[in-house]
Amino acid sequence: MAQMTMIQAITDAMRIELARDPNVLLFGEDVGKNGGVFRATDGLQKEFGEHRVFDTPLAESGIGGLAVGLGLTGFRPIAEVQFIGFVFETFDQIASQATRMRYRSGGRYTSPITFRAPFGGGVKTPECHADPLEGLLTQTPGLKVVVPSNPYDAKGLLISAIRDNDPVFFLEHMKLYRSFRGEVPEGEYTVPIGKANVVKEGAHLTIITYGAMVHTSLKAAELAKKERGVDVEVIDLRTIQPIDTETILASVRKTNRAIVVQEAQRSAGVAAEVIAQINEKAILHLEAPVLRVTAPDTPYAFAQIEDKWLPTPERIVKTINEVLDF
Amino acid sequence: MPVQTKGPNNQKQHQTGYIYTNVDETFQPLQVLSTDGKVIDEANMPALSDDQLRELMRRMVFTRIWDQRAIALNRQGRLGFYAPVAGQEASMIGSEFALNKEDFILPGYRDIPQLVWHGMPLYQAFLYSRGHQHGGQLPQDVNVLMPQIIIGAQIVEAAGVALGYKLRNEKRVAITYTGDGGSSQGDFYEGLNFAGAYQAPAIFVVQNNRFAISVPLEKQTKAETIAQKAVAAGIPGVQVDGMDVLAVYKAVKDAADRGRNGEGATLIECLTYRFGPHTLAGDDPTRYRTKEQESEWEQKDPLTRFRKYLESKKLWSEEDETQVIEEAKQAVAEAIKQADETPAMTVSGLIDSMFETLPESLKEQKAWFEGV
Ligand SMILES: Cc1ncc(C[n+]2csc(CCOP(=O)(O)OP(=O)(O)O)c2C)c(N)n1
C-alpha cells in the first residue's frame, strides 16, 4: 500500500475514474494546465487531454450549468468550485437545477455530477474561502454531502461519488490536504456513501463529528482520558447527508452520553440534525442532554482570530465535562 | 476618444448579409505615450499641471516600492493575504487620480492602491491583509468599500451606488474594478446592463492583465476585446493602453465627466500585466507564463515609460526618484508599526459587531466563549 496525503488520494481517485469511464469529465477554474490552485488535479490534463480535463472561464454559475447540461447528455462531470465560498455563485444550478432533475423529469433525466470544493478553517485564507457551508448543502434536498477526514476515505468516497447517479457534493477540508499521510490501497476501491466510521471505541461518551474535527475530537478524547479517565468513543460521520443514524444510535445506546462537534456556526446545522435524530430515536438511553461544540453564529472569523473561533480540544473537553456532570 | 456607442452599423458583415461577427474593429486602444515616453496622441493629452504629472509619478514609484515591501513582509510572515500589483500601477493610479474625493470606489482584491490613494490609511491596508476587522473600519470621509473577494459582486453593487447618486441628484460617480477573469462572471453582465438601463453614472474598469490565476485571456473569452462587451449593454466601451498612465487618466476622466453630466456608465478595458504571481499563497507563474511574454511586457513598464516622458520635460530626476523611494520605505515601516500596535481582534468583539442589539442566543454564545 502507498502512503498518501489526502490531496494525493483525491487526485488518484479522479485519475482512476477518468481512466475507467470515458464519460467522466473534469473541469473548473485553473484545474487544467495549473493542476488546480491546490494541485488536486495535477497532471490529469496531461494524461487525459484537454477534452476530458479543462479550464473554464471564471464563472461558477456557468460551471454548475455546464455540469447539469453535460449530465443531460450522458457525461459524468466532476465540477470543481475553487473554494467553498464561491458556491453561492452556482447555488441555483446546484439547489434548483441539478438536484431537482430526477424529480422534475420523473426519472427521465438525472444529474450524475460530483461537485468538489475545498473548505474548512485553520489555514488563514482570505474571506469567503474557508466558510463551513455544509449545513446549507445538507439542507438541499436531493444532494448527498460527503466530508472525508483521511486519505483512505477520501479516495474511496470520491470514487463512490463519481460513480453515483445522483449529485454528490464532495467537501475537501483544506487543513487536511497535506497535514498527514495515510495508507491508501493502489487501484480502485470504494467506501460507501452514507456509512459512518467508529474511529475510536469508548465506553463513557460518544463524540459525533466529521472532517477536520475528527482529529480535534481525538485530541480532546486523549485529554479527557488524561484529565478524568473518561473513555470517549469517536464517530466520523464521513457522509453528512444522508447521516448514518444507525451507527450513532448503536453507540449512544452503549455510552448513554453524546456530544456533537462541528466547526460550522451553531444554529440549524449538522449538529442540530444529529441531536434531533438522537432525541427522536434514543432519548430513553440518554443520561444527559446531547450538547454541541461549534463556532459561534458569526461570519467565518477573519484570519487573526480563526484559531480561537474554531472549536478547540479544550472547548470540547469542557463540554464533555458538562455532559458528565449533568 | 474612441467611444463605441453603436453596434452593428459599424460592423463588417458576414457574406450571408445578416450575421454580424465583428465588433472589435472600432476598439483601438487609446494610447497617449509611446513605450519610449514620446507623445503620440497630442489630441488626447490630458490637461494636467506639471505638479499633477509629478504627483502621478510619485504615486507610481511609491506604490512599486510598497508592493516590493509588502511581498517581503508577507514572506517574513508579517502580512497575510496579498496580491501583487507591480505592472498595473498606471491602470490603478491613473484611474484613481481621475476621480474626485466624493466618488466611490468598489475594488476587487488586488485594488488596494486605489483605496490608499483615495484615502485609506496604509496601516489599515496592512491590517486588512492580516485579517483584522479594523482594516475595514475606514474613516467616514473615505468613500470606498473593502476589497471584494467574491469576483463580480462589486460590479452589480457599483450599478446600485451609481443609481443611488443619480436618484439623489449628486454629481458623483461609482467606479469598480475587476480583471479579465472577472469579466466572465454573470454579475459582470448584470452590472453593465443595469447601469445601462438606468443610465447610472458607473465606471466599470477591467484590468485585463491577460491572466486569471493561470487561465489566459484566450481561454477566458472568444471576444476580441473586453471593451466590446459594452456594446450589448448599450453603454460606451473603451480600450486603453493600461501601461500608459496618461491614457488611463484621460479615459477615466472623460467617463467620470460623462457620468456627472447624466450620460451614464462606461466600460473601460485597460491592457496591462501583473509582473508578480497571482497572489503570494503558493501561485507559481512559471507553470503558465513564458519568459518571452514576461520580458515583452516588462518593456512596457508603466514607470519606465512615464519617467522617460517626465525626464524629457525636466520634470523628474534621479534625486526625485530616490526621495520617493525613501519616503515609501519609511511610510511602510511606520504603517507596519502602527498595525503592530493596534490591539488584536477578539471573538467577543466579533460577536458584538453582529447586530445593533445582540440576540439572546448570541449573548449566550459569547458568555460561553468567555468562560473558556
Ligand atoms: C466568485 C469567485 N470565484 C473564484 C474566485 C477565485 N479567484 C480569485 S482570483 C481569481 C482569478 C481572477 O482573475 P482576474 O479577474 O483576471 O483578475 P486578476 O487576478 O488577474 O487581477 C480566481 C479564479 C473568487 N475569488 N471569487
Side-chain angles (χ1 to χ4, degrees):
Chain A
M1 264 200 274
Q3 287 281 328
M4 286 189 193
T5 59
M6 196 163 101
I7 201 152
Q8 288 169 331
I10 287 168
T11 313
D12 197 32
M14 291 190 280
R15 179 180 297 114
I16 287 170
E17 289 306 285
L18 280 160
R20 191 187 62 86
D21 181 351
N23 289 313
V24 173
L25 301 176
L26 169 60
F27 51 87
E29 293 155 14
D30 301 283
V31 303
K33 194 163 184 188
N34 206 30
V37 290
F38 289 100
R39 310 281 177 260
T41 55
D42 205 11
L44 297 179
Q45 184 176 70
K46 220 175 197 167
E47 195 173 337
F48 297 99
E50 279 204 47
H51 292 293
R52 306 282 310 283
V53 179
F54 53 94
D55 289 324
T56 64
L58 204 177
E60 291 77 17
S61 180
I63 292 170
L66 200 71
V68 171
L70 286 165
L72 291 173
T73 51
F75 286 98
R76 306 184 77 83
I78 307 172
E80 180 176 298
V81 177
Q82 196 164 67
F83 286 91
I84 190 65
F86 318 148
V87 79
F88 292 105
E89 317 306 296
T90 188
F91 211 63
D92 172 59
Q93 286 301 330
I94 295 170
S96 313
Q97 312 306 327
T99 54
R100 298 173 67 95
M101 197 56 78
R102 185 185 288 277
Y103 160 71
R104 194 181 278 150
S105 68
R108 169 71 179 83
Y109 295 113
T110 63
S111 293
I113 305 166
T114 304
F115 295 100
R116 293 176 41 242
F119 88 118
V123 289
K124 309 243 157 59
T125 51
E127 241 192 311
C128 302
H129 283 65
D131 300 42
L133 298 177
E134 67 269 21
L136 190 76
L137 298 171
T138 57
Q139 233 202 353
T140 301
L143 190 64
K144 296 178 184 172
V145 185
V146 172
V147 190
S149 72
N150 61 66
Y152 176 90
D153 285 356
K155 179 172 167 183
L157 283 164
L158 183 50
I159 293 178
S160 293
I162 297 168
R163 294 182 186 178
D164 201 294
N165 286 328
D166 287 305
V168 179
F169 209 111
F170 191 84
L171 286 164
E172 304 169 6
H173 201 291
M174 282 184 263
K175 199 171 179 186
L176 302 182
Y177 265 155
R178 293 193 163 83
S179 56
F180 64 98
R181 284 169 190 277
E183 299 261 297
V184 175
E186 266 149 53
E188 49 181 288
Y189 69 93
T190 57
V191 170
I193 291 176
K195 265 319 297 135
N197 184 24
V198 181
V199 286
K200 178 187 173 301
E201 304 235 6
H204 304 138
L205 180 141
T206 305
I207 297 181
I208 300 132
T209 187
Y210 55 94
M213 284 297 129
V214 171
H215 304 274
T216 312
S217 298
L218 285 169
K219 274 189 204 129
E222 246 171 68
L223 270 181
K225 177 91 190 168
K226 228 186 281 164
E227 286 175 13
R228 204 169 161 165
V230 201
D231 187 13
V232 174
E233 178 147 310
V234 179
I235 294 179
D236 175 359
L237 287 175
R238 296 199 288 207
T239 300
I240 54 172
Q241 182 65 269
I243 284 173
D244 179 2
T245 316
E246 251 172 59
T247 302
I248 296 170
L249 295 181
S251 177
V252 169
R253 285 190 196 111
K254 179 174 78 174
T255 63
N256 311 116
R257 291 180 176 83
I259 66 171
V260 191
V261 181
Q262 72 180 19
E263 72 176 62
Q265 293 87 338
R266 193 168 194 80
S267 301
V270 174
E273 173 60 23
V274 170
I275 294 171
Q277 300 235 14
I278 296 172
N279 278 341
E280 285 167 9
K281 292 167 187 152
I283 194 141
L284 295 178
H285 291 272
L286 291 176
E287 297 286 347
V290 183
L291 300 186
R292 54 195 157 151
V293 186
T294 70
D297 288 329
T298 73
Y300 190 92
F302 284 134
Q304 200 176 68
I305 51 164
E306 72 177 72
D307 292 340
K308 296 199 177 95
W309 185 84
L310 291 165
T312 58
E314 292 70 31
R315 234 177 269 148
I316 297 172
V317 170
K318 184 183 172 195
T319 306
I320 290 174
N321 289 332
E322 280 173 43
V323 170
L324 291 171
D325 298 336
F326 176 75
Chain B
M1 170 110 237
V3 171
Q4 166 76 23
T5 47
K6 286 233 166 62
N9 293 346
N10 308 346
Q11 292 158 14
K12 218 169 36 185
Q13 290 194 2
H14 201 265
Q15 306 129 307
T16 47
Y18 66 95
I19 298 175
Y20 301 97
T21 52
N22 291 324
V23 281
D24 55 289
E25 287 180 326
T26 47
F27 290 92
Q28 292 302 319
L30 170 65
Q31 193 182 23
V32 175
L33 294 179
S34 65
T35 39
D36 53 2
K38 305 241 160 57
V39 179
I40 50 171
D41 184 355
E42 200 62 65
N44 279 315
M45 185 69 187
L48 287 167
S49 70
D50 287 354
D51 279 351
Q52 285 175 309
L53 291 171
R54 281 170 52 79
E55 179 61 15
L56 270 176
M57 188 66 203
R58 188 184 80 82
R59 291 186 182 192
M60 289 207 290
V61 174
F62 188 112
T63 305
R64 177 69 58 91
I65 298 301
W66 153 31
D67 187 62
Q68 290 168 358
R69 291 298 303 135
I71 292 169
L73 288 162
N74 174 288
R75 300 225 157 103
Q76 296 160 24
R78 299 184 63 198
L79 275 188
F81 173 72
Y82 186 73
V85 299
Q88 298 188 213
E89 292 92 345
S91 127
M92 292 174 160
I93 287 158
S95 58
E96 192 284 329
F97 203 67
L99 304 175
N100 296 337
K101 190 158 172 57
E102 67 270 19
D103 294 334
F104 199 98
I105 302 182
L106 295 97
Y109 49 85
R110 203 183 295 282
D111 304 309
I112 316 256
Q114 296 95 304
L115 304 186
V116 168
W117 294 117
H118 212 57
M120 177 192 212
L122 191 54
Y123 87 98
Q124 286 193 285
F126 290 156
L127 284 177
Y128 167 77
S129 168
R130 287 178 177 183
H132 190 306
Q133 219 177 3
H134 181 61
Q137 221 168 31
L138 296 172
Q140 283 292 345
D141 64 337
V142 179
N143 295 303
V144 306
L145 266 194
M146 291 316 301
Q148 176 59 256
I149 293 292
I150 299 300
I151 294 171
Q154 74 275 27
I155 305 170
V156 263
E157 291 164 6
V161 173
L163 177 60
Y165 291 154
K166 181 179 163 171
L167 293 176
R168 294 195 181 286
N169 283 319
E170 292 181 21
K171 294 226 171 288
R172 303 164 78 173
V173 301
I175 188 168
T176 187
Y177 296 86
T178 193
D180 38 310
S183 74
S184 293
Q185 284 284 7
D187 277 355
F188 174 80
Y189 297 93
E190 295 185 28
L192 260 61
N193 189 55
F194 271 41
Y198 296 132
Q199 190 106 339
I203 303 172
F204 304 99
V205 177
V206 175
Q207 299 186 72
N208 175 359
N209 64 15
R210 309 208 72 83
F211 288 95
I213 310 188
S214 70
V215 179
L217 183 64
E218 306 74 60
K219 293 228 162 106
Q220 198 62 244
T221 179
K222 188 84 168 77
E224 286 291 325
T225 69
I226 289 170
Q228 74 196 54
K229 299 190 178 200
V231 175
I235 64 174
V238 180
Q239 196 185 52
V240 196
D241 180 338
M243 307 299 256
D244 175 356
V245 71
L246 295 180
V248 174
Y249 174 86
K250 164 80 179 161
V252 176
K253 183 75 171 60
D254 287 350
D257 288 347
R258 283 198 299 280
R260 281 185 236 286
N261 286 337
E263 292 168 58
T266 304
L267 169 64
I268 299 173
E269 175 187 11
C270 296
L271 301 172
T272 181
Y273 200 76
R274 71 171 147 83
F275 295 151
H278 169 67
T279 67
L280 296 177
D283 179 53
D284 172 11
T286 64
R287 292 174 78 95
Y288 53 83
R289 276 195 326 217
T290 61
K291 276 262 160 294
E292 296 74 63
Q293 190 189 40
E294 284 177 11
S295 58
E296 179 197 324
W297 278 90
E298 274 158 21
Q299 305 302 312
K300 300 181 187 165
D301 190 323
L303 272 66
T304 314
R305 181 188 307 196
F306 196 49
R307 188 184 293 117
K308 280 184 187 156
Y309 168 72
L310 291 183
E311 280 171 354
S312 76
K313 294 190 57 171
K314 304 255 176 304
L315 287 175
W316 197 253
S317 65
E318 244 182 81
E319 295 82 80
D320 289 322
E321 185 97 4
T322 318
Q323 198 186 328
V324 181
I325 292 171
E326 277 319 305
E327 188 194 325
K329 285 185 179 162
Q330 206 176 332
V332 169
E334 274 162 26
I336 278 289
K337 184 157 171 279
Q338 200 176 351
D340 287 344
E341 285 165 359
T342 306
M345 234 183 120
T346 62
V347 176
S348 296
L350 167 61
I351 293 177
D352 280 334
S353 68
M354 288 302 298
F355 293 101
E356 192 171 15
T357 35
L358 265 198
E360 274 315 308
S361 63
L362 267 171
K363 277 189 203 155
E364 248 174 49
Q365 292 175 29
K366 188 178 157 192
W368 196 86
F369 245 93
E370 286 170 347
V372 176

